[in-house]
Amino acid sequence: MRTPSRATSGGRVAGTGKTGRALLSGVLVVCLAGSMAVIPIQADAAKPKPPVIPSQAAVEKAKQAAAAKAGQVAGIEQQLAAASARLEQLGVASGIADEAYNGAVYKLQLAKTEAAAAAARAAKAQKTLTAQRQQIGRFAAASYQGGGDVAKIAPLFTAEGPQELLDSAGAARSVSTAMQGSYLRYTASQVVTNLFKVQAGQAVAKVKKATDEAAAAKKAAEAAEAAQASAVTAMGVQRKQAIAQLAVLQNTSIQVAAQRQRGLEELARQRAAALAAKKAAELRRKIAAREAAERAREAAEQAREAAEKAREEREERAEAKKNHGTKKPPKHKPDRPRRPSRPDNPGSSRKGAQAAIDFALSQLGDMYLWGGTGPSRWDCSGLMMGAWERAGVQLPHYSVAQYEQVRHIDEDELRPGDLIFWSVNPDDPGTIHHVAMYLGDGRMIHAPRTGKPVQIDSVYYWEPPDFFGRP
C-alpha cells in the first residue's frame, strides 16, 4: 500500500519544524545569555578607579624624609663653609708662627751683638787690670830695692845725714802716694773687670736662650706649615666627598653641585668684598678730610702772613709820608719761624716711597715662603724689608721691630708706601704678626700666607688693621 506523498512530506515538515524550533530555542538562549554577559562588563569598564590615598602616617614620614634630606644638605654646606674658615684660621696661625720665628732670629742677632760687645769690654778691662798690676809690682820692687829700715836711718851717720833723711822721707812719701793711687785704680779696675765678666757671661747665657727660642720657634713654624699643608690636602678630599653627597641628596650631577658650591662661596666673597670696599671708601673719606683740613690751615696761614705783610707795607708808606718822603732805615724784624713742612711733602721722601712701591709691585705673583727675603719668594716682613731697602731705608726682618723703627701715624694719615700692621692684641704692638704696604685708594700689597702669592687686596679684605707707620 503506497504512502501518500503529502503524508510523507508532512512528516518531514513536521520533523524539520521540531528541529528548527529546538535550534531557535538554543539560539535564543545563547543570545540571551550573551546579552546578559555583555551588560555587566560594560558597567565595570565605565566605573572610575578609586584614588590612592596615603595614610597620614605615610605623609608624615615623607615630610620627615624631606626635612632630613634638607637638613643633610644644609649640614654639608655648613661643613664646607667651616672647612674654608678653618683653612683661613690655619693660614693666620701659620703666619703668626712664621713671624714669631723671624722675631726669634732678630732677638738672637741682637743677643750675639750684645755678647760680642760685652766680651770686648771684658777683654779690654782685663788688659787694663793686668797693666795696673804690673805697675804696682814695679813700685813694690823699687821700694824693696830701697833698703828697708837700715836704708832709712843710714843717712844719719853721714855729713849730710839729716837733709838726706828728709829728702829720702819726701821721696818715700811720693812713692807711697803713687803706689796708693795705683792700688786704688787697680781696685776700681778689678771691680769693673769683674762686672764686665759677669755681663759677658749673662750675654752668653742670653745668646743660648735666644738660640733655643729660635730653634723652638722654627720648629713651631714648621709644624704650623705642615699642619696647614696637611689640612689643605685633607679638606680638599673632604670637599669633593661632600659635594658628591650634595649631588646625591639634591638629585643633581656632581658638576652642578660643585658649581652651586662655588657660587655660594663666590657670593660670600662678593659680600665680603662689598663690605671691604665700603670700609675703604670710609678710609678715603677720612684721609681726604684730613688733607683738606691741612690745606685749609696752610691757606689760612698764608693769608695771615700776606695780611701782615700788607699791613707792614701800609705802615711804612704812612711813616714815609709823615716824614715828607725821608725814609727811615727799616726796623729790624725778627725772622718768623718757618712752619715745618709736612713729612710727606719733600720730593726725596716721595721718591723713596715710590721706589719701595715699584719694587713691591714688581714682586706680584711671587709665592709666599716663611723666612723668605727674595729674590722670588717672600714672607710679609721680608717683602717690606726688600721694598724699603730699594728706597735706601734699612728695616729688620721682623714686623714688630719694623713698627718699632718707623714713625707711628694714624689711620687717616696713610700715604702710599706707608706700612700697615695686624696684631693679636690691638693694644699691644708686641703682638704684631703681619705687615703690608699701603698703595692708596684703600688698597695694599702684601705676602699673605703659605699657598698664596704676593698680591693686591683691600686694606679691609680680612680684619681691620691695628697699627700704622711711615719709614
Side-chain angles (χ1 to χ4, degrees):
M1 184 174 147
R2 296 177 62 185
T3 302
S5 57
R6 184 174 177 83
T8 304
S9 62
R12 288 196 300 272
V13 171
T16 301
K18 186 176 180 179
T19 301
R21 283 194 300 271
L23 290 172
L24 179 60
S25 299
V27 170
L28 290 174
V29 171
V30 171
C31 290
L32 182 58
S35 63
M36 292 176 66
V38 169
I39 291 173
I41 292 174
Q42 290 177 346
D44 290 341
K47 185 178 180 181
K49 292 182 179 181
V52 178
I53 302 176
S55 65
Q56 185 63 34
V59 172
E60 293 299 326
K61 186 176 181 179
K63 286 182 179 180
Q64 292 174 2
K69 183 180 291 187
Q72 292 175 16
V73 169
I76 292 175
E77 289 178 345
Q78 290 175 359
Q79 290 175 10
L80 289 169
S84 297
R86 176 62 178 158
L87 284 178
E88 187 66 25
Q89 292 172 357
L90 286 172
V92 173
S94 176
I96 292 175
D98 294 348
E99 274 304 286
Y101 171 71
N102 289 340
V105 172
Y106 173 73
K107 293 172 183 176
L108 174 58
Q109 292 170 346
L110 293 180
K112 286 181 176 179
T113 301
E114 181 182 346
R121 289 194 302 268
K124 184 177 179 180
Q126 182 63 48
K127 185 177 180 181
T128 301
L129 187 67
T130 301
Q132 291 176 345
R133 184 186 297 115
Q134 291 172 350
Q135 185 180 22
I136 291 174
R138 286 193 296 270
F139 277 133
S143 177
Y144 177 78
Q145 292 171 0
D149 293 337
V150 174
K152 292 178 182 178
I153 64 173
L156 293 174
F157 302 98
T158 65
E160 302 293 332
Q163 184 62 42
E164 288 184 12
L165 181 61
L166 291 175
D167 293 342
S168 175
R173 283 195 298 272
S174 297
V175 171
S176 176
T177 301
M179 284 188 65
Q180 185 176 10
S182 295
Y183 182 74
L184 290 175
R185 286 192 296 273
Y186 172 79
T187 303
S189 297
Q190 193 172 34
V191 172
V192 171
T193 301
N194 290 336
L195 175 61
F196 283 166
K197 286 181 178 179
V198 170
Q199 290 178 347
Q202 291 174 342
V204 171
K206 194 172 182 180
V207 169
K208 176 64 170 60
K209 181 181 178 183
T211 302
D212 294 342
E213 290 176 350
K218 182 178 181 181
K219 187 176 180 180
E222 289 173 343
E225 293 284 332
Q228 187 194 18
S230 176
V232 168
T233 302
M235 290 182 183
V237 173
Q238 293 175 4
R239 190 175 189 276
K240 290 181 179 179
Q241 293 174 346
I243 288 176
Q245 293 177 24
L246 276 176
V248 173
L249 290 171
Q250 296 173 335
N251 296 322
T252 58
S253 67
I254 293 179
Q255 290 79 7
V256 174
Q259 184 178 10
R260 167 181 166 74
Q261 183 59 33
R262 287 195 299 270
L264 292 173
E265 292 171 355
E266 175 62 18
L267 181 61
R269 188 198 66 77
Q270 290 177 0
R271 288 172 177 169
L275 180 60
K278 183 178 179 181
K279 291 181 178 179
E282 177 64 18
L283 174 61
R284 290 194 298 271
R285 186 195 66 76
K286 290 195 293 186
I287 291 175
R290 187 184 188 100
E291 290 177 343
E294 290 176 352
R295 287 194 298 269
R297 284 195 298 271
E298 291 175 358
E301 179 65 18
Q302 291 173 359
R304 190 190 66 77
E305 291 177 354
E308 179 68 15
K309 183 178 180 180
R311 184 187 64 78
E312 291 173 353
E313 290 176 350
R314 287 196 303 271
E315 289 178 352
E316 289 177 359
R317 287 196 298 269
E319 186 70 20
K321 185 176 180 182
K322 181 179 179 181
N323 293 313
H324 305 289
T326 303
K327 292 187 67 176
K328 290 185 178 181
K331 296 179 180 178
H332 175 71
K333 301 183 182 67
D335 295 334
R336 293 192 186 92
R338 298 183 62 184
R339 286 171 55 86
S341 59
R342 287 165 55 187
D344 55 299
N345 278 342
S348 58
S349 176
R350 278 298 191 189
K351 289 179 181 177
Q354 190 58 52
I357 292 171
D358 291 342
F359 180 88
L361 290 175
S362 68
Q363 313 309 315
L364 280 172
D366 288 354
M367 293 304 295
Y368 181 96
L369 175 66
W370 70 275
T373 56
S376 59
R377 303 288 294 276
W378 309 88
D379 64 10
C380 64
S381 56
L383 179 62
M384 299 302 105
M385 180 180 72
W388 272 101
E389 184 178 11
R390 179 60 60 91
V393 177
Q394 299 297 323
L395 293 176
H397 184 200
Y398 180 35
S399 55
V400 172
Q402 287 180 355
Y403 180 72
E404 290 173 349
Q405 297 186 17
V406 299
R407 186 167 72 87
H408 301 170
I409 60 175
D410 293 328
E411 185 180 28
D412 58 358
E413 293 182 87
L414 279 172
R415 304 289 183 269
D418 290 344
L419 301 184
I420 310 171
F421 301 88
W422 286 259
S423 65
V424 176
N425 181 355
D427 296 324
D428 182 7
T431 64
I432 287 174
H433 61 82
H434 189 60
V435 59
M437 179 182 290
Y438 186 64
L439 295 178
D441 199 30
R443 300 174 306 136
M444 66 181 183
I445 183 170
H446 65 146
R449 58 175 173 81
T450 298
K452 289 193 174 184
V454 174
Q455 61 190 37
I456 296 174
D457 283 312
S458 166
V459 171
Y460 303 98
Y461 91 105
W462 175 37
E463 296 176 351
D466 301 308
F467 302 98
F468 311 89
R470 181 168 300 153

